[in-house]
Amino acid sequence: MRWLAVLLLIARPISAAEPADVIFSNGSVYTVNERQPHAEAVAVRGDRIAFVGSNADAQKFRDNHTRVIDLHGGTVVPGLTDSHCHIFGIGEREMTMNLEGANSFEAFLAKVQERVAKTERGQWITGRGWIETFWKPPQFPTRADLDKIAPANPVYLTRADGHASVVNSAALKIAGIARATPNPFGGEILKDDSGEPMGMLLDNAQDIVESKIPKPAEAEREKALSLGVQREIALGWCEIQNAGSELSDVQLLRRANEAGQVKLRIYNAAYGPGAAAQKLLEEGPTLNAYRNHFTQRTIKVVFDGALGSRGAALLAPYSDRPDTSGFLTQKEAELLPLFQEALRRGIQVETHAIGDRANRIILDLYERAFQTVPPNERKIREPRWRVEHAQILSGQDIPRFARLGVIVSMQPSHAISDLFFAPARLGIDRLAGAYAWNSFLKTGAVVCGGSDAPVERGEPMIEFYAAISRKSTKGESREGWHSEQAVTREQALRMFTVNAAYAAFEEIDKGAIEPGKLADFTVLSADIMKIPEPEILNTRCVMTVIGGETVFEDRQ
Ligand SMILES: [Zn+2]
Ligand SMILES: [Zn+2]
């Protein structure tokens, strides 16, 4: 293949080159451009790529004003994009009690207790990130557990997936939740055999308590955004696709961009149905604002719960709790008119769907919207709607994505986290359609990759490793993990570059290292396309370049 690239380079007129502002040389550049897969140097003019090729040819773009940055053989990939994460949540994780590391029930309690000791009586204690997967036994905590260590403070602690929270008795009391309180639509108040609330609230039931917690001040939200952005660019992300925001956060994002404070490119979705989606429908999309740093053209719908907390809507009951098959969190009849309006106005829709029932019904709804609003009545003929997670699928529904042109937005780390408990929830048979990356690719569907941080760590190397190995970060694989669903390194790289760009209508500007595109790239400490799998987890981002500007550099 390399001779072909060389021939193409020779054919290109590069002699009378206009000088570049910056030349990045001595790199091992994986371009994700099929016509020129590998290169050594990239020349940048303004915020765009002017040249990609050999070190020698790059010299033709050099004059007295050109800065030359020696990459010392570093591996360069197109600017990595996290197709699904929550930027404010990522920042908040750094600010509030982070329960992620609690690998035992005792460690979880100890962390909470530590916080209780520092908190005034009566003040709320909130935190996020606990997950019972490796606790012995792997059971949800209860309000009684929390009452013992926090009798005088209301406590609200969200499970890692964000779809369930455990609260203590003080919090239940403030929210008025008692034996007689019915489950809200799209949520569940877990109760014991005698009918007493146990303290676990699933999906929409969380809102009953959450609405009583004082809202964070505006300054705290700003700080969360700023911390989130700092963290993302240090990890090598050049763009994140923010999977949902309320109106106040949309305004905050715009203000922060106006003030030039956001170095990261953000592709933002507005939550719907609701005020944020309504405003987007009325005002229309914002495209490539603030020098291509902010686009908003998407409505995010959350259609069911999550697998771990048994809120994901399944076609058949949970294997480890046969009295439930989960629930939908939105009403179909309310979504259809929203979807039709979105098509007419050229707004993209992305929907969180985890269970096989949620996935089937959302595809039905998309299909009905496409049929009732034909291409000539749409503002954008090819809507590129997405399903977020597409985690558990009935075999017959997998080919429907490609057929309908629906993009599959998947998070490789979810597989290697969830597969520890998925066999218990689903039984072995249903795992055939779970986290089925390769099955989707084989049908011709576009699969873009994300992390869903702060649900997961949100590190590109963990995602890349998970996608190609389908093993835990300790290298484990177990019965029912379906290792054949692992993808190749080339496919994994595409998921986080060109496919992510396509999923955002951005493939003209982003997703590959190619003349004319925005100069976004990530420089890594090792060659992730060649090194043994476990070494990927030790690979660091050494430089993040966005629009030709080095926004992060690891000076180790
Ligand atoms: Zn989700
Ligand atoms: Zn999410």
Side-chain angles (χ1 to χ4, degrees):
M1 274 311 283
R2 191 154 300 178
W3 61 269
L4 181 65
V6 171
L7 277 183
L8 283 167
L9 276 179
I10 292 168
R12 221 167 264 170
I14 47 171
S15 47
E18 226 185 290
D21 297 319
V22 197
I23 294 172
F24 295 87
S25 63
N26 294 320
S28 170
V29 184
Y30 291 96
T31 64
V32 191
N33 169 9
E34 278 157 19
R35 292 185 304 273
Q36 185 192 14
H38 196 260
E40 294 171 333
V42 181
V44 175
R45 197 180 303 120
D47 62 355
R48 301 249 167 199
I49 296 169
F51 165 84
V52 181
S54 69
N55 288 325
D57 285 339
Q59 293 304 315
K60 295 174 186 154
F61 289 80
R62 189 172 175 177
D63 78 355
N64 303 338
H65 304 288
T66 305
R67 272 193 315 136
V68 178
I69 296 177
D70 188 340
L71 297 172
H72 302 288
T75 298
V76 184
V77 294
L80 295 171
T81 292
D82 188 337
S83 308
H84 181 125
C85 68
H86 304 272
I87 191 69
F88 289 93
I90 291 168
E92 268 168 6
R93 177 168 61 182
E94 310 291 315
M95 294 161 66
T96 59
M97 181 170 36
N98 184 353
L99 295 163
E100 270 180 341
N103 273 328
S104 69
F105 174 63
E106 293 71 27
F108 160 79
L109 285 184
K111 269 198 171 177
V112 180
Q113 202 158 16
E114 203 180 294
R115 181 57 67 111
V116 174
K118 289 188 218 152
T119 310
E120 263 176 64
R121 261 182 94 85
Q123 295 290 312
W124 278 89
I125 291 171
T126 60
R128 176 168 180 161
W130 64 268
I131 190 157
E132 75 292 346
T133 311
F134 299 110
W135 298 359
K136 292 185 178 76
Q139 276 171 1
F140 296 145
T142 66
R143 70 170 165 140
D145 298 326
L146 296 178
D147 288 347
K148 275 181 222 149
I149 56 170
N153 298 79
V155 180
Y156 181 86
L157 306 172
T158 304
R159 193 173 182 273
D161 62 14
H163 287 271
S165 294
V166 62
V167 303
N168 65 351
S169 298
L172 286 174
K173 195 168 170 209
I174 290 169
I177 295 177
R179 295 175 66 93
T181 311
N183 289 330
F185 172 79
E188 189 180 354
I189 300 163
L190 294 190
K191 291 175 181 163
D192 64 19
D193 293 339
S194 73
E196 278 298 325
M198 295 163 76
M200 276 293 289
L201 307 171
L202 310 189
D203 289 286
N204 291 351
Q206 296 177 102
D207 302 344
I208 311 172
V209 174
E210 208 197 355
S211 61
K212 305 290 182 213
I213 305 173
K215 291 272 162 294
E218 173 106 347
E220 301 222 350
R221 271 324 250 181
E222 280 170 19
K223 189 173 170 209
L225 175 63
S226 150
L227 285 173
V229 167
Q230 280 312 314
R231 181 175 189 274
E232 296 303 90
I233 58 180
L235 286 165
W237 297 115
C238 290
E239 171 169 309
I240 61 108
Q241 301 182 354
N242 194 40
S245 46
E246 303 294 356
L247 214 45
S248 54
D249 285 340
V250 177
Q251 284 153 356
L252 203 157
L253 279 166
R254 287 184 194 275
R255 273 204 311 278
N257 264 299
E258 258 152 45
Q261 291 162 345
V262 186
K263 296 280 186 193
L264 181 68
R265 301 197 196 276
I266 297 183
Y267 182 81
N268 192 53
Y271 276 125
Q278 208 46 47
K279 195 165 163 79
L280 174 58
L281 284 169
E282 280 159 19
E283 292 182 353
T286 303
L287 303 179
N288 305 321
Y290 315 108
R291 297 174 299 112
N292 295 291
H293 278 65
F294 182 78
T295 285
Q296 181 178 255
R297 63 187 307 165
T298 310
I299 291 173
K300 163 76 183 292
V301 176
V302 178
F303 199 41
D304 69 344
L307 184 67
S309 43
R310 301 185 189 84
L314 300 179
L315 291 164
Y318 279 85
S319 298
D320 57 359
R321 218 193 112 191
D323 64 313
T324 182
S325 46
F327 40 76
L328 297 176
T329 50
Q330 295 289 341
K331 295 179 176 137
E332 295 163 62
E334 285 170 21
L335 290 183
L336 187 62
L338 177 76
F339 288 177
Q340 290 166 325
E341 187 67 358
L343 275 178
R344 286 189 202 102
R345 293 183 182 254
I347 299 294
Q348 186 184 39
V349 171
E350 60 176 41
T351 303
H352 158 118
I354 289 194
D356 46 13
R357 179 158 52 104
N359 275 282
R360 178 171 296 172
I361 297 176
I362 204 65
L363 288 174
D364 291 346
L365 277 171
Y366 281 8
E367 196 167 9
R368 214 167 336 143
F370 295 161
Q371 281 163 355
T372 49
V373 183
N376 62 340
E377 290 175 27
R378 301 176 195 165
K379 194 154 179 204
I380 294 170
R381 300 178 77 90
E382 182 194 22
R384 299 195 193 180
W385 285 8
R386 311 168 29 156
V387 172
E388 305 302 305
H389 313 310
Q391 231 167 62
I392 301 141
L393 267 292
S394 161
Q396 68 190 82
D397 291 321
I398 289 179
R400 296 178 68 196
F401 286 78
R403 227 184 293 140
L404 291 168
V406 171
I407 294 160
V408 203
S409 171
M410 303 186 85
Q411 300 74 36
S413 56
H414 280 345
I416 65 168
S417 297
D418 293 9
L419 278 166
F420 285 99
F421 58 74
R425 300 283 186 278
L426 298 170
I428 216 76
D429 290 346
R430 280 187 281 193
L431 294 175
Y435 317 91
W437 312 321
N438 251 333
S439 302
F440 280 116
L441 287 170
K442 279 188 194 132
T443 64
V446 174
V447 179
C448 62
S451 75
D452 206 4
V455 175
E456 302 285 350
R457 287 301 306 152
E459 297 178 18
M461 290 304 106
I462 294 179
E463 297 302 330
F464 188 83
Y465 165 85
I468 66 150
S469 74
R470 209 171 166 98
K471 290 176 190 147
S472 78
T473 52
K474 292 182 183 133
E476 303 150 280
S477 173
R478 296 185 182 178
E479 195 203 348
W481 283 34
H482 288 274
S483 57
E484 77 281 3
Q485 293 289 354
V487 303
T488 66
R489 295 184 195 223
E490 286 70 24
Q491 286 168 329
L493 187 57
R494 292 178 69 85
M495 284 168 70
F496 291 92
T497 55
V498 69
N499 293 5
Y502 178 86
F505 300 87
E506 291 177 336
E507 70 276 13
I508 303 281
D509 286 323
K510 300 174 192 168
I513 299 177
E514 202 181 309
K517 286 197 169 26
L518 288 166
D520 293 0
F521 40 87
T522 307
V523 186
L524 301 167
S525 63
D527 187 345
I528 57 166
M529 304 308 278
K530 292 198 180 116
I531 55 177
E533 281 174 5
E535 286 177 28
I536 293 168
L537 293 169
N538 302 325
T539 301
R540 291 173 296 111
C541 166
V542 292
M543 190 187 284
T544 308
V545 177
I546 299 179
E549 185 191 342
T550 303
V551 295
F552 169 79
E553 196 176 354
D554 182 358
R555 295 181 193 276
Q556 262 184 35

